[in-house]
Amino acid sequence: MSTTYSISDLARELDVTTRAIRFYEEQGMLSPERRGQERIYSPKDLVALKLILRGKRIGFSLAECKELIDLYDPSSGNRKQLQTFMDKIAARRAQLEQQLLDIQQMQLELDTAEERCLAAMAETERKQGISA
């Protein structure tokens, strides 16, 4: 028999709230079976939730996470899913590198502005010292 999980089992195992799990379910990213009011999650749901959480940590949108989950196909070795994941990783890495360059440029601009302010303050103090 395959392992199944309750919503509280998943929440505890992955350190997320049951509310978050229900949200991902509402977004169509998890699809538990129902036994009355009880949700029964499969190992596939566990993997999907792990993928969602990993995707969020590295900056993927929920839409990107959903796309990766929808590509899950163990019969093909998940090749398309893995290739798409690699493409998204490369794009995210490029985005982060650009953001790092932008931050470094901003730091240079701040340094220049600070130097100008300090020079202007020193000039003001020098002029006030002369006129005093």
Side-chain angles (χ1 to χ4, degrees):
M1 184 172 139
S2 179
T3 303
T4 59
Y5 307 89
S6 69
I7 194 168
S8 57
D9 292 336
L10 279 184
R12 189 172 33 259
E13 184 160 338
L14 297 176
D15 195 28
V16 295
T17 64
T18 56
R19 182 176 177 176
I21 294 170
R22 284 191 296 274
F23 173 77
Y24 298 133
E25 184 181 339
E26 289 167 10
Q27 300 303 307
M29 301 171 84
L30 301 173
S31 51
E33 290 181 31
R34 295 284 190 149
R35 286 192 198 138
Q37 294 288 23
E38 186 182 9
R39 293 171 167 90
I40 307 297
Y41 294 90
S42 69
K44 181 180 176 182
D45 291 315
L46 175 66
V47 170
L49 188 52
K50 285 180 179 180
L51 188 58
I52 293 164
L53 298 174
R54 181 178 300 128
K56 283 181 52 183
R57 280 194 306 273
I58 58 179
F60 289 174
S61 69
L62 282 182
E64 289 172 310
C65 292
K66 185 171 182 350
E67 177 186 356
L68 289 169
I69 291 165
D70 290 344
L71 291 172
Y72 180 75
D73 180 13
S75 67
S76 71
N78 293 309
R79 179 129 181 91
K80 185 167 180 156
Q81 181 190 44
L82 293 170
Q83 185 58 55
T84 302
F85 195 21
M86 290 294 294
D87 294 344
K88 290 185 179 306
I89 287 169
R92 182 68 178 136
R93 188 180 307 277
Q95 181 185 29
L96 288 172
E97 287 170 359
Q98 183 59 55
Q99 286 176 329
L100 184 56
L101 289 173
D102 293 345
I103 289 168
Q104 290 169 338
Q105 182 61 42
M106 193 179 300
Q107 286 175 320
L108 289 173
E109 294 290 337
L110 289 170
D111 290 345
T112 301
E114 183 180 43
E115 288 172 12
R116 288 182 179 162
C117 286
L118 289 171
M121 288 170 51
E123 180 64 20
T124 300
E125 289 175 7
R126 186 186 66 75
K127 287 181 179 177
Q128 288 176 347
I130 293 174
S131 61

